[in-house]
């Protein structure tokens, strides 16, 4: 069953995830509108959102400040890179095989990737 602790942790994850997703989306779209390649724009959006996500989840979502950065950061990088590869692959694939606009596809891929990374962060990156 879904405990209240897990529910509120997921809610906090959503708040931080939304802030990171907005950062990712805004910067990626800015770069795309500046005629940057879609994959490169998505990478720059991701890299900026990475730090919003790491510190937000470390402090607010998982309250893992007692665990050293030396332990959490490498694991978070693994989760983030896995999430980015998943996101990038899905975005490029959908862009080639669907008629939807890149802005809609970016939103879809960010949401799906966020769900995937919540569980990886919870059980791996920030698990004491």
């Amino acid at each position: 069953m879904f405990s209240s602790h897990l529910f509120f942790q997921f809610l906090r994850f959503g708040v931080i995830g939304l802030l990171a997703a907005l950062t990712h989306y805004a910067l990626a779209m800015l770069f795309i509108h500046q005629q940057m390649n879609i994959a490169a724009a998505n990478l720059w959006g991701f890299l900026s959102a990475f730090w919003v996500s790491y510190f937000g989840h470390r402090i607010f979502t998982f309250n893992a400040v007692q665990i050293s950065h030396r332990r959490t950061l490498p694991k978070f990088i693994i989760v983030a890179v896995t999430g980015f590869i998943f996101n990038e692959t899905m975005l490029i694939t959908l862009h080639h095989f669907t008629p939807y606009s890149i802005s809609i596809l970016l939103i879809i891929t960010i949401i799906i990737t966020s769900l995937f990374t919540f569980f990886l962060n919870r059980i791996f990156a920030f698990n004491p």
Side-chain angles (χ1 to χ4, degrees), residues 89-100:
T89 302
M90 189 172 21
L91 179 65
I92 299 304
T93 302
L94 290 173
H95 182 64
H96 286 298
F97 294 107
T98 68
Y100 302 109

Side-chain angles (χ1 to χ4, degrees), residues 32-121:
I32 288 168
H33 285 291
Q34 297 297 321
Q35 307 305 312
M36 184 181 280
N37 173 281
I38 292 169
N42 192 40
L43 174 62
W44 283 109
F46 164 79
L47 291 173
S48 301
F50 172 88
W51 294 107
V52 172
S53 186
Y54 175 70
F55 285 107
H57 292 317
R58 177 180 167 77
I59 296 165
F60 184 65
T61 304
F62 299 106
N63 191 22
V65 293
Q66 75 284 2
I67 307 170
S68 72
H69 288 290
R70 180 182 279 170
R71 190 161 158 225
T72 58
L73 186 57
K75 290 179 179 181
F76 186 80
I77 290 170
I78 291 169
V79 172
V81 168
T82 302
F84 176 74
I85 292 168
F86 179 74
N87 173 281
E88 187 84 342
T89 302
M90 189 172 21
L91 179 65
I92 299 304
T93 302
L94 290 173
H95 182 64
H96 286 298
F97 294 107
T98 68
Y100 302 109
S101 72
I102 192 66
S103 63
I104 296 297
L105 294 176
L106 193 57
I107 291 168
I108 291 168
T109 59
I110 289 171
I111 290 169
I112 293 170
T113 302
S114 296
L115 294 171
F116 172 70
T117 59
F118 168 75
F119 292 104
L120 289 178
N121 278 312

